[in-house]
């Protein structure tokens, strides 16, 4: 066993020259459950036996006492496309709190990860998951929770970091290809992993090592990419941006996050793209940590974000 590194993407993962992968975070898992504090119930559902694609579904306690169908939220977790899963305690706890607060049915997608499955596999898995979700829109799908409790005319996507990147790209795909049986109302991008070759706004004062980390990270997770101006990473370079397939967008930004300027820029290029929807930005003042809300969910900024996302959906 060699300790010689081939790639070091700390604090996410390391790849050794002998091929070993060491994930440095996001490896713990918890089973689906009935959450004791909120009454939110969850279960895991296999979407494709062929690829191993699965999702964790969540329903709030209110579904047992009301026949009213609820908005449907499809969630894409973060982790640089390479760490974390839908069954990690971090995401399981967050989805429980989001589902009870917003009173939604949620589908948390577990797409395959880099480096075993380089991009675009995660995008393909995410689209397959969305088609599976949409297959329930006539009430005759394989999953009763979706058939019985989800309002497919009130569909939302949300995700953080690399998951926010997936959210944006899935909404572009909905706009260009359509998704039969559903209506995508809005998308929520929390600290989305978006980037570009040329520095914009305050990025020009970033240490070179930070820019190099993000550039090389993207090339690693997507070996066939054209680079940091790939439309999948830099929406400002995407001719399909004006056709984004939803009515409204919420971008959540942390004041001191490395990606802050790019996240604000996203809202600006979206407004100029010819897209007819409404975009708003919620900036958490004084918050420095990327996806701080996952690691400090009870702080004032995290609670404010949760309430904002809830009002956005409802």
């Amino acid at each position: 066993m060699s300790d010689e590194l081939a790639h070091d993407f700390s604090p996410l993962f390391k790849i050794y020259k002998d091929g070993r992968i060491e994930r440095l975070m996001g490896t713990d898992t918890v089973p689906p459950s009935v959450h004791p504090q909120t009454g939110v119930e969850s279960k895991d559902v296999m979407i494709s036996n062929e690829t191993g694609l699965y999702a964790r579904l969540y329903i709030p306690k209110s579904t047992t006492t009301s026949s009213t169908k609820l908005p449907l939220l499809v969630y894409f977790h973060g982790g640089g496309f390479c760490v974390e899963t839908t069954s990690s305690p971090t995401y399981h706890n967050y989805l429980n709190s989001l589902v009870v607060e917003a009173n939604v049915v949620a589908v948390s997608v577990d797409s395959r990860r880099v480096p075993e499955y380089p991009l675009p596999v995660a995008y393909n898995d995410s689209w397959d998951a969305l088609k599976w979700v949409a297959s329930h829109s006539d009430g005759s799908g394989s999953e009763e929770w979706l058939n019985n409790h989800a309002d497919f005319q009130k569909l939302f996507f949300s995700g953080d970091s690399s998951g926010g990147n997936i959210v944006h790209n899935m909404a572009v795909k909905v706009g260009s290809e359509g998704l039969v049986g559903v209506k995508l109302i809005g998308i929520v991008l929390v600290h989305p992993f978006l980037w570009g070759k040329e520095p914009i706004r305050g990025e020009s004062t970033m240490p070179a090592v930070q820019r190099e980390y993000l550039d090389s990270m993207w090339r690693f997770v997507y070996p066939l990419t054209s680079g940091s101006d790939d439309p999948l990473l830099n929406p400002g370079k995407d001719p399909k941006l004006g056709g984004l397939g939803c009515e409204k967008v919420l971008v959540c930004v942390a004041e001191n996050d490395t990606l802050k300027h790019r996240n604000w820029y996203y809202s600006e290029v979206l407004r100029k793209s010819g897209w007819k929807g409404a975009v708003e930005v919620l900036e958490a003042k004084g918050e420095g940590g990327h996806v701080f809300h996952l690691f400090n969910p009870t702080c004032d900024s995290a609670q404010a974000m949760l309430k904002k996302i809830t009002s956005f959906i409802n």
Side-chain angles (χ1 to χ4, degrees):
M1 189 181 288
S2 167
D3 284 337
E4 213 176 336
L5 281 170
H7 301 279
D8 187 352
F9 288 109
S10 299
L12 299 175
F13 67 102
K14 295 177 180 178
I15 308 286
Y16 293 90
K17 288 196 172 172
D18 62 5
R20 271 188 308 128
I21 301 157
E22 183 186 6
R23 289 188 165 91
L24 304 173
M25 59 183 292
T27 55
D28 293 341
T29 61
V30 291
S33 61
V34 177
H35 192 246
Q37 282 80 37
T38 63
V40 172
E41 189 174 350
S42 54
K43 66 176 172 181
D44 291 339
V45 177
M46 185 62 70
I47 294 173
S48 169
N49 286 314
E50 186 184 342
T51 64
L53 172 64
Y54 83 95
R56 182 163 289 187
L57 274 55
Y58 296 81
I59 51 170
K61 199 174 183 180
S62 64
T63 57
T64 59
T65 56
S66 170
S67 58
T68 305
K69 296 205 170 184
L70 302 176
L72 176 58
L73 175 71
V74 180
Y75 194 87
F76 300 94
H77 71 77
F81 300 102
C82 52
V83 298
E84 300 285 5
T85 64
T86 59
S87 56
S88 91
T90 303
Y91 285 102
H92 184 66
N93 293 337
Y94 178 67
L95 265 293
N96 277 320
S97 61
L98 183 57
V99 165
V100 71
E101 183 77 25
N103 200 33
V104 294
V105 175
V107 178
S108 182
V109 178
D110 200 74
S111 50
R112 288 171 288 175
R113 299 179 299 179
V114 175
E116 295 90 342
Y117 300 97
L119 294 180
V121 170
Y123 295 123
N124 298 337
D125 281 353
S126 298
W127 187 243
D128 287 345
L130 290 174
K131 288 190 289 187
W132 176 82
V133 167
S135 73
H136 294 77
S137 61
D138 63 358
S140 64
S142 59
E143 183 39 62
E144 287 305 306
W145 282 10
L146 296 179
N147 291 336
N148 296 336
H149 302 303
D151 184 345
F152 291 90
Q153 297 306 298
K154 292 181 181 174
L155 176 64
F156 293 83
F157 301 162
S158 181
D160 64 280
S161 198
S162 58
N165 174 294
I166 292 174
V167 164
H168 161 74
N169 284 298
M170 292 304 102
V172 168
K173 206 167 172 67
V174 169
S176 61
E177 297 184 20
L179 194 59
V180 177
V182 303
K183 183 174 184 182
L184 180 60
I185 303 294
I187 61 173
V188 181
L189 293 81
V190 180
H191 312 168
F193 176 36
L194 304 171
W195 198 237
K197 191 174 177 183
E198 297 301 321
I200 49 103
R201 298 167 65 113
E203 288 176 1
S204 55
T205 60
M206 278 174 64
V209 67
Q210 282 186 334
R211 290 197 61 84
E212 286 162 13
Y213 178 92
L214 292 166
D215 288 335
S216 57
M217 177 82 180
W218 174 250
R219 287 189 178 278
F220 180 80
V221 299
Y222 194 5
L224 300 179
T225 186
S226 57
S228 293
D229 277 344
D230 189 316
L232 291 166
L233 186 64
N234 185 352
K237 301 294 183 182
D238 190 352
K240 296 178 182 174
L241 181 61
L244 196 71
C246 58
E247 298 174 2
K248 57 182 185 173
V249 173
L250 173 63
V251 186
C252 297
V253 177
E255 183 178 14
N256 300 314
D257 182 14
T258 304
L259 297 174
K260 166 194 169 173
H261 302 293
R262 195 59 59 167
N263 293 173
W264 271 103
Y265 179 68
Y266 173 79
S267 70
E268 293 162 9
V269 294
L270 187 55
R271 286 189 183 102
K272 293 172 184 171
S273 69
W275 178 65
K276 297 292 191 282
V279 56
E280 57 182 321
V281 181
L282 173 69
E283 182 168 327
K285 297 293 183 185
E287 292 293 347
H290 185 62
V291 299
F292 69 86
H293 65 295
L294 296 176
F295 305 109
N296 192 6
T298 58
C299 75
D300 290 347
S301 295
Q303 289 297 304
M305 188 198 299
L306 190 60
K307 284 182 167 46
K308 181 65 179 178
I309 293 170
T310 296
S311 66
F312 180 81
I313 291 172
N314 293 300

mmCIF file of all heavy atoms in Angstrom, residues 67-110:
data_model
loop_
_atom_site.group_PDB
_atom_site.id
_atom_site.type_symbol
_atom_site.label_atom_id
_atom_site.label_comp_id
_atom_site.label_asym_id
_atom_site.label_seq_id
_atom_site.Cartn_x
_atom_site.Cartn_y
_atom_site.Cartn_z
ATOM 1 N N SER A 67 -55.943 14.931 3.392
ATOM 2 C CA SER A 67 -55.884 14.353 2.043
ATOM 3 C C SER A 67 -55.351 15.360 1.022
ATOM 4 O O SER A 67 -55.223 15.052 -0.156
ATOM 5 C CB SER A 67 -57.287 13.896 1.620
ATOM 6 O OG SER A 67 -58.182 15.004 1.653
ATOM 7 N N THR A 68 -55.038 16.573 1.488
ATOM 8 C CA THR A 68 -54.507 17.607 0.597
ATOM 9 C C THR A 68 -53.129 17.197 0.092
ATOM 10 O O THR A 68 -52.267 16.781 0.870
ATOM 11 C CB THR A 68 -54.384 18.950 1.334
ATOM 12 O OG1 THR A 68 -55.652 19.285 1.889
ATOM 13 C CG2 THR A 68 -53.929 20.051 0.391
ATOM 14 N N LYS A 69 -52.941 17.316 -1.219
ATOM 15 C CA LYS A 69 -51.620 16.989 -1.775
ATOM 16 C C LYS A 69 -50.649 18.147 -1.544
ATOM 17 O O LYS A 69 -51.033 19.312 -1.565
ATOM 18 C CB LYS A 69 -51.748 16.653 -3.260
ATOM 19 C CG LYS A 69 -52.585 15.391 -3.470
ATOM 20 C CD LYS A 69 -52.264 14.673 -4.756
ATOM 21 C CE LYS A 69 -52.946 13.308 -4.774
ATOM 22 N NZ LYS A 69 -52.594 12.529 -5.966
ATOM 23 N N LEU A 70 -49.403 17.786 -1.315
ATOM 24 C CA LEU A 70 -48.391 18.756 -0.897
ATOM 25 C C LEU A 70 -47.396 19.056 -2.017
ATOM 26 O O LEU A 70 -47.168 18.213 -2.898
ATOM 27 C CB LEU A 70 -47.615 18.202 0.306
ATOM 28 C CG LEU A 70 -48.450 17.853 1.538
ATOM 29 C CD1 LEU A 70 -47.567 17.228 2.610
ATOM 30 C CD2 LEU A 70 -49.164 19.083 2.078
ATOM 31 N N PRO A 71 -46.764 20.243 -1.965
ATOM 32 C CA PRO A 71 -45.693 20.526 -2.933
ATOM 33 C C PRO A 71 -44.634 19.424 -2.871
ATOM 34 O O PRO A 71 -44.399 18.822 -1.820
ATOM 35 C CB PRO A 71 -45.125 21.861 -2.450
ATOM 36 C CG PRO A 71 -46.233 22.509 -1.682
ATOM 37 C CD PRO A 71 -46.987 21.374 -1.040
ATOM 38 N N LEU A 72 -44.001 19.192 -4.005
ATOM 39 C CA LEU A 72 -42.998 18.128 -4.125
ATOM 40 C C LEU A 72 -41.625 18.764 -4.316
ATOM 41 O O LEU A 72 -41.418 19.566 -5.238
ATOM 42 C CB LEU A 72 -43.343 17.236 -5.323
ATOM 43 C CG LEU A 72 -42.360 16.125 -5.686
ATOM 44 C CD1 LEU A 72 -42.148 15.167 -4.515
ATOM 45 C CD2 LEU A 72 -42.859 15.362 -6.911
ATOM 46 N N LEU A 73 -40.699 18.406 -3.434
ATOM 47 C CA LEU A 73 -39.335 18.946 -3.485
ATOM 48 C C LEU A 73 -38.359 17.828 -3.822
ATOM 49 O O LEU A 73 -38.308 16.811 -3.126
ATOM 50 C CB LEU A 73 -38.965 19.547 -2.128
ATOM 51 C CG LEU A 73 -37.527 20.052 -1.993
ATOM 52 C CD1 LEU A 73 -37.318 21.321 -2.817
ATOM 53 C CD2 LEU A 73 -37.178 20.315 -0.534
ATOM 54 N N VAL A 74 -37.599 18.005 -4.893
ATOM 55 C CA VAL A 74 -36.516 17.071 -5.211
ATOM 56 C C VAL A 74 -35.213 17.721 -4.783
ATOM 57 O O VAL A 74 -34.894 18.839 -5.201
ATOM 58 C CB VAL A 74 -36.484 16.713 -6.706
ATOM 59 C CG1 VAL A 74 -35.349 15.734 -6.984
ATOM 60 C CG2 VAL A 74 -37.821 16.104 -7.141
ATOM 61 N N TYR A 75 -34.464 17.006 -3.916
ATOM 62 C CA TYR A 75 -33.255 17.565 -3.320
ATOM 63 C C TYR A 75 -32.012 16.852 -3.843
ATOM 64 O O TYR A 75 -31.985 15.626 -3.950
ATOM 65 C CB TYR A 75 -33.290 17.443 -1.785
ATOM 66 C CG TYR A 75 -32.238 18.299 -1.127
ATOM 67 C CD1 TYR A 75 -32.496 19.630 -0.821
ATOM 68 C CD2 TYR A 75 -30.961 17.798 -0.875
ATOM 69 C CE1 TYR A 75 -31.514 20.444 -0.271
ATOM 70 C CE2 TYR A 75 -29.978 18.607 -0.318
ATOM 71 C CZ TYR A 75 -30.259 19.923 -0.026
ATOM 72 O OH TYR A 75 -29.278 20.725 0.498
ATOM 73 N N PHE A 76 -30.983 17.648 -4.171
ATOM 74 C CA PHE A 76 -29.705 17.116 -4.641
ATOM 75 C C PHE A 76 -28.620 17.540 -3.649
ATOM 76 O O PHE A 76 -28.343 18.726 -3.489
ATOM 77 C CB PHE A 76 -29.381 17.648 -6.035
ATOM 78 C CG PHE A 76 -30.418 17.281 -7.064
ATOM 79 C CD1 PHE A 76 -31.466 18.152 -7.360
ATOM 80 C CD2 PHE A 76 -30.376 16.060 -7.715
ATOM 81 C CE1 PHE A 76 -32.437 17.817 -8.303
ATOM 82 C CE2 PHE A 76 -31.347 15.712 -8.655
ATOM 83 C CZ PHE A 76 -32.378 16.591 -8.945
ATOM 84 N N HIS A 77 -28.019 16.563 -2.975
ATOM 85 C CA HIS A 77 -27.045 16.883 -1.926
ATOM 86 C C HIS A 77 -25.719 17.358 -2.516
ATOM 87 O O HIS A 77 -25.374 17.075 -3.667
ATOM 88 C CB HIS A 77 -26.827 15.678 -1.007
ATOM 89 C CG HIS A 77 -26.073 14.539 -1.627
ATOM 90 N ND1 HIS A 77 -24.703 14.547 -1.796
ATOM 91 C CD2 HIS A 77 -26.499 13.346 -2.117
ATOM 92 C CE1 HIS A 77 -24.316 13.422 -2.360
ATOM 93 N NE2 HIS A 77 -25.383 12.670 -2.572
ATOM 94 N N GLY A 78 -24.949 18.066 -1.667
ATOM 95 C CA GLY A 78 -23.634 18.554 -2.064
ATOM 96 C C GLY A 78 -22.538 17.568 -1.704
ATOM 97 O O GLY A 78 -22.795 16.423 -1.357
ATOM 98 N N GLY A 79 -21.285 18.061 -1.781
ATOM 99 C CA GLY A 79 -20.137 17.215 -1.474
ATOM 100 C C GLY A 79 -19.143 17.128 -2.607
ATOM 101 O O GLY A 79 -18.397 16.152 -2.717
ATOM 102 N N GLY A 80 -19.119 18.157 -3.473
ATOM 103 C CA GLY A 80 -18.128 18.196 -4.548
ATOM 104 C C GLY A 80 -18.254 17.064 -5.548
ATOM 105 O O GLY A 80 -17.273 16.700 -6.206
ATOM 106 N N PHE A 81 -19.443 16.509 -5.683
ATOM 107 C CA PHE A 81 -19.734 15.368 -6.560
ATOM 108 C C PHE A 81 -19.048 14.082 -6.091
ATOM 109 O O PHE A 81 -19.121 13.065 -6.760
ATOM 110 C CB PHE A 81 -19.315 15.629 -8.019
ATOM 111 C CG PHE A 81 -19.985 16.802 -8.669
ATOM 112 C CD1 PHE A 81 -19.311 18.012 -8.808
ATOM 113 C CD2 PHE A 81 -21.281 16.712 -9.141
ATOM 114 C CE1 PHE A 81 -19.918 19.109 -9.417
ATOM 115 C CE2 PHE A 81 -21.893 17.804 -9.748
ATOM 116 C CZ PHE A 81 -21.213 19.001 -9.883
ATOM 117 N N CYS A 82 -18.342 14.139 -4.938
ATOM 118 C CA CYS A 82 -17.490 12.997 -4.595
ATOM 119 C C CYS A 82 -17.644 12.488 -3.163
ATOM 120 O O CYS A 82 -17.250 11.355 -2.880
ATOM 121 C CB CYS A 82 -16.024 13.336 -4.854
ATOM 122 S SG CYS A 82 -15.496 14.861 -4.070
ATOM 123 N N VAL A 83 -18.189 13.304 -2.238
ATOM 124 C CA VAL A 83 -18.424 12.817 -0.876
ATOM 125 C C VAL A 83 -19.883 13.076 -0.504
ATOM 126 O O VAL A 83 -20.599 13.770 -1.225
ATOM 127 C CB VAL A 83 -17.492 13.497 0.167
ATOM 128 C CG1 VAL A 83 -16.033 13.197 -0.136
ATOM 129 C CG2 VAL A 83 -17.728 15.000 0.239
ATOM 130 N N GLU A 84 -20.299 12.519 0.623
ATOM 131 C CA GLU A 84 -21.668 12.618 1.135
ATOM 132 C C GLU A 84 -22.633 11.740 0.329
ATOM 133 O O GLU A 84 -22.382 11.399 -0.824
ATOM 134 C CB GLU A 84 -22.183 14.068 1.157
ATOM 135 C CG GLU A 84 -21.378 15.015 2.009
ATOM 136 C CD GLU A 84 -21.605 14.836 3.509
ATOM 137 O OE1 GLU A 84 -22.320 13.910 3.935
ATOM 138 O OE2 GLU A 84 -21.041 15.639 4.272
ATOM 139 N N THR A 85 -23.732 11.364 0.984
ATOM 140 C CA THR A 85 -24.814 10.597 0.364
ATOM 141 C C THR A 85 -26.127 11.081 0.958
ATOM 142 O O THR A 85 -26.137 11.849 1.926
ATOM 143 C CB THR A 85 -24.692 9.084 0.659
ATOM 144 O OG1 THR A 85 -24.837 8.882 2.084
ATOM 145 C CG2 THR A 85 -23.368 8.511 0.185
ATOM 146 N N THR A 86 -27.233 10.625 0.402
ATOM 147 C CA THR A 86 -28.534 10.997 0.958
ATOM 148 C C THR A 86 -28.727 10.408 2.348
ATOM 149 O O THR A 86 -29.550 10.906 3.115
ATOM 150 C CB THR A 86 -29.684 10.491 0.073
ATOM 151 O OG1 THR A 86 -29.579 9.075 -0.034
ATOM 152 C CG2 THR A 86 -29.642 11.091 -1.299
ATOM 153 N N SER A 87 -27.972 9.360 2.675
ATOM 154 C CA SER A 87 -28.141 8.726 3.987
ATOM 155 C C SER A 87 -27.141 9.237 5.016
ATOM 156 O O SER A 87 -27.083 8.717 6.129
ATOM 157 C CB SER A 87 -28.043 7.202 3.871
ATOM 158 O OG SER A 87 -26.823 6.819 3.285
ATOM 159 N N SER A 88 -26.374 10.278 4.683
ATOM 160 C CA SER A 88 -25.469 10.844 5.680
ATOM 161 C C SER A 88 -26.302 11.578 6.735
ATOM 162 O O SER A 88 -27.341 12.171 6.420
ATOM 163 C CB SER A 88 -24.457 11.786 5.029
ATOM 164 O OG SER A 88 -24.946 13.108 5.010
ATOM 165 N N PRO A 89 -25.872 11.545 8.007
ATOM 166 C CA PRO A 89 -26.626 12.228 9.057
ATOM 167 C C PRO A 89 -26.860 13.701 8.748
ATOM 168 O O PRO A 89 -27.926 14.243 9.052
ATOM 169 C CB PRO A 89 -25.740 12.065 10.302
ATOM 170 C CG PRO A 89 -24.822 10.936 10.011
ATOM 171 C CD PRO A 89 -24.657 10.884 8.526
ATOM 172 N N THR A 90 -25.874 14.337 8.132
ATOM 173 C CA THR A 90 -25.976 15.766 7.806
ATOM 174 C C THR A 90 -27.196 16.038 6.946
ATOM 175 O O THR A 90 -27.994 16.936 7.235
ATOM 176 C CB THR A 90 -24.708 16.234 7.063
ATOM 177 O OG1 THR A 90 -23.574 15.960 7.880
ATOM 178 C CG2 THR A 90 -24.761 17.712 6.757
ATOM 179 N N TYR A 91 -27.341 15.271 5.864
ATOM 180 C CA TYR A 91 -28.452 15.512 4.939
ATOM 181 C C TYR A 91 -29.765 14.939 5.457
ATOM 182 O O TYR A 91 -30.831 15.527 5.248
ATOM 183 C CB TYR A 91 -28.099 14.991 3.542
ATOM 184 C CG TYR A 91 -27.129 15.929 2.884
ATOM 185 C CD1 TYR A 91 -25.772 15.646 2.819
ATOM 186 C CD2 TYR A 91 -27.561 17.156 2.393
ATOM 187 C CE1 TYR A 91 -24.873 16.548 2.277
ATOM 188 C CE2 TYR A 91 -26.676 18.060 1.840
ATOM 189 C CZ TYR A 91 -25.328 17.752 1.784
ATOM 190 O OH TYR A 91 -24.452 18.663 1.260
ATOM 191 N N HIS A 92 -29.707 13.801 6.139
ATOM 192 C CA HIS A 92 -30.928 13.226 6.698
ATOM 193 C C HIS A 92 -31.554 14.204 7.702
ATOM 194 O O HIS A 92 -32.768 14.459 7.660
ATOM 195 C CB HIS A 92 -30.600 11.889 7.364
ATOM 196 C CG HIS A 92 -31.805 11.177 7.887
ATOM 197 N ND1 HIS A 92 -32.789 10.689 7.058
ATOM 198 C CD2 HIS A 92 -32.181 10.881 9.165
ATOM 199 C CE1 HIS A 92 -33.736 10.110 7.803
ATOM 200 N NE2 HIS A 92 -33.380 10.219 9.080
ATOM 201 N N ASN A 93 -30.735 14.773 8.573
ATOM 202 C CA ASN A 93 -31.246 15.728 9.564
ATOM 203 C C ASN A 93 -31.788 16.986 8.892
ATOM 204 O O ASN A 93 -32.837 17.515 9.285
ATOM 205 C CB ASN A 93 -30.143 16.104 10.562
ATOM 206 C CG ASN A 93 -29.743 14.932 11.440
ATOM 207 O OD1 ASN A 93 -30.509 14.000 11.633
ATOM 208 N ND2 ASN A 93 -28.529 14.975 11.973
ATOM 209 N N TYR A 94 -31.061 17.467 7.870
ATOM 210 C CA TYR A 94 -31.516 18.677 7.179
ATOM 211 C C TYR A 94 -32.851 18.444 6.480
ATOM 212 O O TYR A 94 -33.762 19.277 6.557
ATOM 213 C CB TYR A 94 -30.462 19.163 6.178
ATOM 214 C CG TYR A 94 -30.922 20.384 5.419
ATOM 215 C CD1 TYR A 94 -31.093 21.602 6.082
ATOM 216 C CD2 TYR A 94 -31.205 20.327 4.064
ATOM 217 C CE1 TYR A 94 -31.539 22.730 5.403
ATOM 218 C CE2 TYR A 94 -31.650 21.447 3.381
ATOM 219 C CZ TYR A 94 -31.818 22.648 4.050
ATOM 220 O OH TYR A 94 -32.272 23.759 3.379
ATOM 221 N N LEU A 95 -32.991 17.318 5.805
ATOM 222 C CA LEU A 95 -34.243 17.029 5.093
ATOM 223 C C LEU A 95 -35.408 16.879 6.062
ATOM 224 O O LEU A 95 -36.517 17.339 5.786
ATOM 225 C CB LEU A 95 -34.098 15.786 4.217
ATOM 226 C CG LEU A 95 -33.739 15.994 2.731
ATOM 227 C CD1 LEU A 95 -34.859 16.685 1.980
ATOM 228 C CD2 LEU A 95 -32.446 16.759 2.554
ATOM 229 N N ASN A 96 -35.158 16.261 7.211
ATOM 230 C CA ASN A 96 -36.225 16.168 8.213
ATOM 231 C C ASN A 96 -36.727 17.552 8.612
ATOM 232 O O ASN A 96 -37.936 17.797 8.680
ATOM 233 C CB ASN A 96 -35.729 15.418 9.455
ATOM 234 C CG ASN A 96 -35.804 13.917 9.302
ATOM 235 O OD1 ASN A 96 -36.748 13.374 8.747
ATOM 236 N ND2 ASN A 96 -34.794 13.212 9.806
ATOM 237 N N SER A 97 -35.791 18.472 8.872
ATOM 238 C CA SER A 97 -36.188 19.814 9.311
ATOM 239 C C SER A 97 -36.852 20.591 8.172
ATOM 240 O O SER A 97 -37.828 21.328 8.399
ATOM 241 C CB SER A 97 -34.987 20.585 9.856
ATOM 242 O OG SER A 97 -33.990 20.742 8.874
ATOM 243 N N LEU A 98 -36.365 20.423 6.964
ATOM 244 C CA LEU A 98 -36.943 21.126 5.814
ATOM 245 C C LEU A 98 -38.355 20.624 5.512
ATOM 246 O O LEU A 98 -39.268 21.411 5.229
ATOM 247 C CB LEU A 98 -36.031 20.943 4.589
ATOM 248 C CG LEU A 98 -36.414 21.667 3.302
ATOM 249 C CD1 LEU A 98 -36.540 23.173 3.525
ATOM 250 C CD2 LEU A 98 -35.388 21.384 2.210
ATOM 251 N N VAL A 99 -38.547 19.316 5.580
ATOM 252 C CA VAL A 99 -39.848 18.723 5.263
ATOM 253 C C VAL A 99 -40.915 19.155 6.271
ATOM 254 O O VAL A 99 -42.046 19.481 5.902
ATOM 255 C CB VAL A 99 -39.733 17.180 5.190
ATOM 256 C CG1 VAL A 99 -41.100 16.510 5.237
ATOM 257 C CG2 VAL A 99 -39.001 16.774 3.913
ATOM 258 N N VAL A 100 -40.560 19.180 7.565
ATOM 259 C CA VAL A 100 -41.559 19.580 8.560
ATOM 260 C C VAL A 100 -41.832 21.080 8.490
ATOM 261 O O VAL A 100 -42.972 21.524 8.640
ATOM 262 C CB VAL A 100 -41.149 19.153 9.990
ATOM 263 C CG1 VAL A 100 -39.985 19.972 10.535
ATOM 264 C CG2 VAL A 100 -42.337 19.241 10.938
ATOM 265 N N GLU A 101 -40.802 21.872 8.226
ATOM 266 C CA GLU A 101 -40.965 23.328 8.181
ATOM 267 C C GLU A 101 -41.781 23.752 6.958
ATOM 268 O O GLU A 101 -42.702 24.572 7.061
ATOM 269 C CB GLU A 101 -39.590 24.008 8.150
ATOM 270 C CG GLU A 101 -39.632 25.520 8.181
ATOM 271 C CD GLU A 101 -39.924 26.102 9.562
ATOM 272 O OE1 GLU A 101 -39.653 25.436 10.569
ATOM 273 O OE2 GLU A 101 -40.426 27.247 9.604
ATOM 274 N N ALA A 102 -41.450 23.191 5.800
ATOM 275 C CA ALA A 102 -42.104 23.607 4.550
ATOM 276 C C ALA A 102 -43.364 22.797 4.241
ATOM 277 O O ALA A 102 -44.123 23.164 3.337
ATOM 278 C CB ALA A 102 -41.111 23.491 3.393
ATOM 279 N N ASN A 103 -43.579 21.701 4.978
ATOM 280 C CA ASN A 103 -44.729 20.819 4.753
ATOM 281 C C ASN A 103 -44.785 20.349 3.297
ATOM 282 O O ASN A 103 -45.723 20.624 2.552
ATOM 283 C CB ASN A 103 -46.037 21.509 5.148
ATOM 284 C CG ASN A 103 -47.158 20.499 5.395
ATOM 285 O OD1 ASN A 103 -46.916 19.388 5.861
ATOM 286 N ND2 ASN A 103 -48.379 20.887 5.073
ATOM 287 N N VAL A 104 -43.730 19.631 2.912
ATOM 288 C CA VAL A 104 -43.586 19.127 1.547
ATOM 289 C C VAL A 104 -43.319 17.625 1.572
ATOM 290 O O VAL A 104 -42.911 17.068 2.595
ATOM 291 C CB VAL A 104 -42.410 19.812 0.808
ATOM 292 C CG1 VAL A 104 -42.686 21.286 0.599
ATOM 293 C CG2 VAL A 104 -41.083 19.602 1.545
ATOM 294 N N VAL A 105 -43.550 17.001 0.427
ATOM 295 C CA VAL A 105 -43.032 15.653 0.171
ATOM 296 C C VAL A 105 -41.670 15.844 -0.479
ATOM 297 O O VAL A 105 -41.527 16.670 -1.390
ATOM 298 C CB VAL A 105 -43.977 14.875 -0.770
ATOM 299 C CG1 VAL A 105 -43.372 13.524 -1.141
ATOM 300 C CG2 VAL A 105 -45.345 14.699 -0.132
ATOM 301 N N ALA A 106 -40.653 15.120 -0.020
ATOM 302 C CA ALA A 106 -39.306 15.324 -0.558
ATOM 303 C C ALA A 106 -38.714 14.028 -1.089
ATOM 304 O O ALA A 106 -38.943 12.949 -0.529
ATOM 305 C CB ALA A 106 -38.382 15.922 0.501
ATOM 306 N N VAL A 107 -37.951 14.171 -2.165
ATOM 307 C CA VAL A 107 -37.193 13.076 -2.766
ATOM 308 C C VAL A 107 -35.740 13.503 -2.779
ATOM 309 O O VAL A 107 -35.366 14.438 -3.484
ATOM 310 C CB VAL A 107 -37.672 12.779 -4.202
ATOM 311 C CG1 VAL A 107 -36.834 11.664 -4.822
ATOM 312 C CG2 VAL A 107 -39.156 12.417 -4.230
ATOM 313 N N SER A 108 -34.912 12.852 -1.961
ATOM 314 C CA SER A 108 -33.486 13.183 -1.878
ATOM 315 C C SER A 108 -32.714 12.183 -2.730
ATOM 316 O O SER A 108 -32.699 10.988 -2.439
ATOM 317 C CB SER A 108 -33.039 13.127 -0.412
ATOM 318 O OG SER A 108 -31.687 13.486 -0.271
ATOM 319 N N VAL A 109 -32.085 12.684 -3.791
ATOM 320 C CA VAL A 109 -31.503 11.822 -4.835
ATOM 321 C C VAL A 109 -30.064 11.433 -4.484
ATOM 322 O O VAL A 109 -29.254 12.287 -4.110
ATOM 323 C CB VAL A 109 -31.530 12.546 -6.197
ATOM 324 C CG1 VAL A 109 -30.887 11.684 -7.284
ATOM 325 C CG2 VAL A 109 -32.966 12.908 -6.575
ATOM 326 N N ASP A 110 -29.752 10.163 -4.631
ATOM 327 C CA ASP A 110 -28.394 9.679 -4.366
ATOM 328 C C ASP A 110 -27.745 9.232 -5.674
ATOM 329 O O ASP A 110 -27.750 8.057 -6.020
ATOM 330 C CB ASP A 110 -28.419 8.514 -3.369
ATOM 331 C CG ASP A 110 -27.056 8.324 -2.718
ATOM 332 O OD1 ASP A 110 -26.705 9.149 -1.857
ATOM 333 O OD2 ASP A 110 -26.355 7.362 -3.066
#
